[in-house]
Amino acid sequence: MEKLLFIQTGFGVDVHGQNVTKAAVRAVRNAIFTNSMPGIEDLLPEKNLNNMIVNVKLALPVDAALLDHDAIKEIIPYGTVTIETMSGGMMTTSGIFLADKEDNNDLMYIVNASVETGY
């Protein structure tokens, strides 16, 4: 990335089901869905949103190999998206095991996201 314009951060939780993709999708949505970048087109080459580069960094507590990268990329509407995973996030008790919620145990997964946007 030649020029970094914005960094947005968020976190997401999967309380039941121990699904790192669900938590990661929620983290990325938390990072980007409460922001507006009305002047970004003026900053991009050719004033084209598809010229954006979006680097998504995810701190996952476990199961990085199970992360559905396509599910993350679907959230980002424009540009070229890359995904980087690293150890982090958290696993902690949800306080209850619910078999009907596809729980394998009583843990919840918490994922941290950093979404870097530029060109």
Side-chain angles (χ1 to χ4, degrees):
M1 185 179 309
E2 179 183 319
K3 183 71 173 174
L4 179 61
L5 300 173
F6 301 99
I7 299 174
Q8 301 156 295
T9 60
F11 78 98
V13 182
D14 184 28
V15 177
H16 297 288
Q18 297 75 46
N19 185 315
V20 72
T21 297
K22 282 185 183 177
V25 164
R26 290 171 179 163
V28 173
R29 285 181 186 216
N30 180 249
I32 68 171
F33 277 22
T34 58
N35 296 287
S36 178
M37 299 182 288
I40 193 167
E41 283 181 298
D42 292 335
L43 302 174
L44 294 171
E46 301 172 19
K47 297 186 178 189
N48 186 332
L49 292 173
N50 288 312
N51 288 330
M52 276 192 310
I53 295 173
V54 182
N55 296 328
V56 178
K57 296 180 181 178
L58 299 167
L60 310 172
V62 292
D63 299 336
L66 299 178
L67 180 70
D68 182 346
H69 287 230
D70 289 335
I72 304 301
K73 289 179 179 181
E74 287 177 12
I75 302 167
I76 310 296
Y78 303 103
T80 301
V81 180
T82 62
I83 299 170
E84 177 185 346
T85 63
M86 61 197 74
S87 296
M90 176 186 275
M91 290 187 306
T92 189
T93 184
S94 68
I96 189 170
F97 173 87
L98 298 173
D100 65 325
K101 298 293 184 189
E102 302 179 10
D103 270 346
N104 298 310
N105 51 53
D106 74 337
L107 293 177
M108 67 172 99
Y109 288 3
I110 302 171
V111 171
N112 299 91
S114 175
V115 180
E116 302 171 346
T117 304
Y119 61 88

